Amino acid sequence: MPKNSPFTDAILSWYDRNGRHDLPWQHPASPYDVWLSETMLQQTQVATVIDYFQRFKSKFPDIPSLAQASLDEVMQLWAGLGYYRRAKHLHEAAKIMAKKHSGRVPSSLEDLMALPGIGQSTAGAILSIAYQKPCAILDGNVKRVLCRHYGIRGWPDSTLTLKQLWPLAESLTPNKDCHRYAQAIMDFGAVLCTRNKPNCQACPIQKSCYAFLQQCIEQLPEKKPRAKVPEKTLHFWILQRDNGDIFLTQRPPLGIWASLWAFPEGEPPMSNLAEYHKQTLSPFLHLLTHFRLTIKATLVHIGKQNLAEIKLAGTWCAPHTVGKTLGVPKPITKLITQL
Ligand code: SF4
């Protein structure tokens, strides 16, 4: 069996001494738990994920229960975690696993990567951690560590840089202990070789680290070439009855906040709007990865009418129940607190 590289051995022994060994998805690291946690951990910190993971697991303990749930139930548990396409993909993938893979997470790279929301790195994590098959992973934390330690230039998500990173990640993955190494290298990036102020003084691979030796830690990994973030304005119509109830409608399955519940947006939801008393709320900014949104809203006092005029399908609910029963995006929660 080929020997581990000194880098791999150093990361493994660092993990034994300093890694996180008590996360709720580690004992046992079942394929479902690893898949769920890896999906939640994309773009999200461990501390935030723990609660969401536990709530999700108690409602959907396995793939069949997740596959049978409605998208609304899934979205409701996901609300606040952001990047909602992850939840949609999770739900779609669970349905496929229930149908095609006897309700199990598949154990081949090909089958995993054919599922919605599972890229090569998540597939690698599932195979290494849950099935103990040596497969490389390359999440954001791992990319940062490798770019710094091996002095790899270029934005890590560019095709050219990935062509260097994947073979490197593969060459560092041990045959034995691949499950420990997968967790170790992700943890190392998350805890020690952090984006800002990495703890180089405590780093076991400092002596061989290109970025440390060349004093260019802040320049690696290189940033994405800047593209201007598009700006967009969303205008919401908050219809409110005398008893305080508000009207929510489900957003389309594609686009911003897909399938979550929100106030009607864009065109006025009724033709006889002029008949009602209206109030403009203070606009505010909301930043998404791909958009800079200005949120505007008009509160429409509806009175007691039964509102046959509303053009959209939707539901009336008391403001304090929103979020408990329906998944809503953050700006909607913020607007509700303004009421
Ligand atoms: S020396 Fe610093 S920059 Fe290099 S791998 Fe260690 S923590 Fe990261």
Side-chain angles (χ1 to χ4, degrees), residues 145 148-149 188 192-194 198-201 203-207 209-212 217:
V145 176
R148 284 180 176 160
H149 186 265
F188 185 84
L192 194 116
C193 190
T194 48
N199 189 359
C200 299
Q201 293 320 315
C203 178
I205 48 173
Q206 184 208 75
K207 284 199 175 75
C209 176
Y210 173 92
F212 182 80
I217 292 163

Side-chain angles (χ1 to χ4, degrees), residues 123-139:
I126 296 168
L127 292 174
S128 293
I129 301 171
Y131 291 113
Q132 315 215 353
K133 293 184 177 181
C135 260
I137 53 162
L138 199 53
D139 72 351

Side-chain angles (χ1 to χ4, degrees), residues 292-331:
R292 207 178 136 85
L293 296 179
T294 302
I295 306 289
K296 292 186 174 174
T298 304
L299 176 60
V300 185
H301 298 277
I302 292 294
K304 294 192 178 73
Q305 316 202 20
N306 67 3
L307 298 163
E309 303 93 335
I310 296 182
K311 296 183 228 161
L312 295 166
T315 181
W316 288 95
C317 44
H320 70 273
T321 63
V322 175
K324 291 180 192 148
T325 49
L326 299 172
V328 292
K330 271 191 185 153

Side-chain angles (χ1 to χ4, degrees), residues 1-300:
M1 190 171 286
K3 266 181 72 175
N4 290 346
S5 72
F7 174 98
T8 303
D9 280 339
I11 298 288
L12 282 170
S13 36
W14 173 86
Y15 180 67
D16 286 344
R17 279 176 279 113
N18 305 290
R20 293 172 288 194
H21 301 275
D22 51 2
L23 299 172
W25 47 87
Q26 291 177 326
H27 306 290
S30 73
Y32 177 61
D33 287 10
V34 175
W35 168 50
L36 180 58
S37 61
E38 284 301 319
T39 306
M40 289 184 163
L41 285 164
Q42 291 160 12
Q43 329 277 353
T44 314
Q45 304 271 339
V46 166
T48 312
V49 165
I50 291 176
D51 266 6
Y52 278 91
F53 176 85
Q54 283 170 329
R55 268 184 280 138
F56 210 91
K57 262 302 290 286
S58 57
K59 180 113 192 222
F60 308 121
D62 48 26
I63 290 168
S65 57
L66 177 56
Q68 279 157 23
S70 71
L71 181 59
D72 256 352
E73 289 174 288
V74 177
M75 286 305 205
Q76 189 204 330
L77 278 179
W78 201 274
L81 203 53
Y83 300 96
Y84 295 96
R85 274 180 56 186
R86 293 182 295 174
K88 271 192 76 187
H89 284 158
L90 199 75
H91 188 227
E92 282 165 22
K95 288 201 265 186
I96 298 172
M97 290 180 201
K99 213 168 154 190
K100 269 183 74 179
H101 300 285
S102 322
R104 293 201 192 92
V105 178
S107 60
S108 81
L109 192 65
E110 200 188 2
D111 283 346
L112 282 168
M113 286 179 67
L115 292 165
I118 301 189
Q120 191 173 348
S121 186
T122 304
I126 296 168
L127 292 174
S128 293
I129 301 171
Y131 291 113
Q132 315 215 353
K133 293 184 177 181
C135 260
I137 53 162
L138 199 53
D139 72 351
N141 287 322
V142 180
K143 286 174 190 161
R144 181 169 58 252
V145 176
L146 298 186
C147 285
R148 284 180 176 160
H149 186 265
Y150 291 95
I152 292 173
R153 295 283 173 179
W155 175 51
D157 286 323
S158 72
T159 316
L160 218 61
T161 316
L162 285 172
K163 274 191 181 155
Q164 295 178 66
L165 286 171
W166 272 112
L168 178 60
E170 276 155 17
S171 72
L172 297 169
T173 303
N175 280 322
K176 194 171 157 272
D177 278 342
C178 60
H179 63 290
R180 264 173 65 230
Y181 176 76
Q183 305 202 49
I185 183 75
M186 288 193 283
D187 233 20
F188 185 84
V191 171
L192 194 116
C193 190
T194 48
R195 190 193 312 251
N196 302 314
K197 299 202 181 112
N199 189 359
C200 299
Q201 293 320 315
C203 178
I205 48 173
Q206 184 208 75
K207 284 199 175 75
S208 53
C209 176
Y210 173 92
F212 182 80
L213 298 172
Q214 299 296 319
Q215 299 185 8
C216 59
I217 292 163
E218 273 157 29
Q219 284 95 58
L220 288 172
E222 287 187 3
K223 296 205 167 44
K224 184 180 183 178
R226 272 197 175 227
K228 202 172 172 304
V229 182
E231 301 193 4
K232 220 175 160 152
T233 298
L234 298 184
H235 189 157
F236 290 103
W237 298 93
I238 306 175
L239 312 184
Q240 189 167 40
R241 280 174 170 164
D242 274 356
N243 67 357
D245 283 1
I246 48 178
F247 182 79
L248 293 176
T249 181
Q250 192 164 29
R251 292 185 62 85
L254 289 175
I256 300 173
W257 304 313
S259 304
L260 289 183
W261 289 78
F263 298 120
E265 182 233 315
E267 290 294 306
M270 52 233 266
S271 46
N272 60 342
L273 200 67
E275 295 168 20
Y276 298 101
H277 174 248
K278 293 182 284 299
Q279 184 187 342
T280 306
L281 303 187
S282 318
F284 58 89
L285 266 183
H286 182 77
L287 299 180
L288 294 174
T289 341
H290 305 301
F291 288 113
R292 207 178 136 85
L293 296 179
T294 302
I295 306 289
K296 292 186 174 174
T298 304
L299 176 60
V300 185

